[in-house]
Amino acid sequence: MYLIDRAKNGLDRLLQKTNRKTLSPDEYNSAFQYVENKIIRESFNYMDSIKNMKNFGRSGKVDYDKLNLCKEYVRALSADEVLTYDSITETFAFPSDYMFVEAIEYGGRVVEEISPREFAILANVESAPTEVHPIYIEHSDNIEILPTTIDSGVTMYYYKEPEQPTWTYSVINSVPVFNPASGDFVDSILPDIAYDEIMNGLAEYAGVQLKQPDVVQVFNNAGNESEQLKRS
């Protein structure tokens, strides 16, 4: 079953149970897109905070369960591309659909990211980085690599911008009925394990108080249905 449709069915039950009007298809698509984007954005923010903490030598406790969950949420967005070198700026431009850098590779080795301050220092000392042990810094739309003799063969592993999920339908007896065969249908890129978080986000978007006993019951029923689907 498509995740975007499962979530709509769950939200419809929730709204009916709490005596609220169900969302129109356009309203639902706006709600789902908002919730998915929020989950993806928060996942990247957490991944980025861990990455920066390590790059700048800061100590702190890492919640690896949360980190792995964030990575699982955005796994479908992973991509890679050989970067194009700009000889004027001496930088490598990001792909047009870039959202978040995972790793930079050159010569079969992972290139280390460092802080701008460290980069500036290393660019002007005798013990500058070599092609065997290069380094890079990330700018808004490109990366800069040392040594500057590297002008090709750089691969970027990254996360791309997602397509906006769209619940599509056909009207039957004046009722919108899910139709995934429509040309503009786009399912969520999130995995099934994100269902509960999506439902929480949709409920909040629709103004439902999640602590109400009847709401909890609907969520419990949805969770049981989810488990049955996994085992089928």
Side-chain angles (χ1 to χ4, degrees), residues 13 19 58 71-72 79 83 96 105 108 114 127-128 137 144 157 194 197 207 218 224:
R13 290 196 301 269
N19 298 315
R58 298 169 182 162
K71 288 182 177 180
E72 188 64 29
L83 300 183
S96 59
E105 184 182 274
I114 63 173
S127 58
I137 57 170
E144 190 174 352
Y157 296 87
E197 191 164 348
V218 173
N224 292 336

Side-chain angles (χ1 to χ4, degrees), residues 86-101:
D86 185 328
S87 59
I88 297 177
T89 61
E90 296 187 328
T91 61
F92 291 85
F94 285 154
S96 59
D97 59 354
Y98 147 82
M99 178 186 285
F100 181 84
V101 176

Side-chain angles (χ1 to χ4, degrees), residues 46-144:
Y46 188 74
M47 292 163 60
D48 200 34
S49 68
I50 301 303
K51 179 180 176 182
N52 288 335
M53 183 175 69
K54 292 179 179 179
N55 288 341
F56 289 91
R58 298 169 182 162
S59 59
K61 185 177 180 180
V62 177
D63 185 340
Y64 286 101
D65 287 339
K66 180 177 180 180
L67 180 60
N68 290 333
L69 184 62
C70 288
K71 288 182 177 180
E72 188 64 29
Y73 281 171
V74 300
R75 186 181 301 279
L77 295 174
S78 61
D80 62 86
E81 184 173 310
V82 177
L83 300 183
T84 300
Y85 183 70
D86 185 328
S87 59
I88 297 177
T89 61
E90 296 187 328
T91 61
F92 291 85
F94 285 154
S96 59
D97 59 354
Y98 147 82
M99 178 186 285
F100 181 84
V101 176
E102 175 68 8
I104 302 296
E105 184 182 274
Y106 172 75
R109 300 181 180 85
V110 175
V111 182
E112 180 186 1
E113 182 183 14
I114 63 173
S115 68
R117 180 176 179 276
E118 291 174 311
F119 191 91
I121 293 173
L122 290 174
N124 295 286
V125 297
E126 293 182 0
S127 58
T130 65
E131 291 192 12
V132 177
H133 299 290
I135 59 174
Y136 82 95
I137 57 170
E138 180 180 336
H139 302 299
S140 60
D141 58 358
N142 59 48
I143 60 169
E144 190 174 352

Side-chain angles (χ1 to χ4, degrees), residues 179-194:
N179 178 19
S182 177
D184 54 347
F185 169 71
V186 179
D187 196 15
S188 174
I189 63 94
L190 295 173
D192 286 344
I193 56 174

Side-chain angles (χ1 to χ4, degrees), residues 29-48:
N29 280 329
S30 294
F32 194 94
Q33 290 168 7
Y34 170 81
V35 171
E36 182 184 89
N37 287 337
K38 183 173 183 288
I39 292 173
I40 291 172
R41 184 175 63 252
E42 290 176 348
S43 296
F44 280 130
N45 286 343
Y46 188 74
M47 292 163 60
D48 200 34

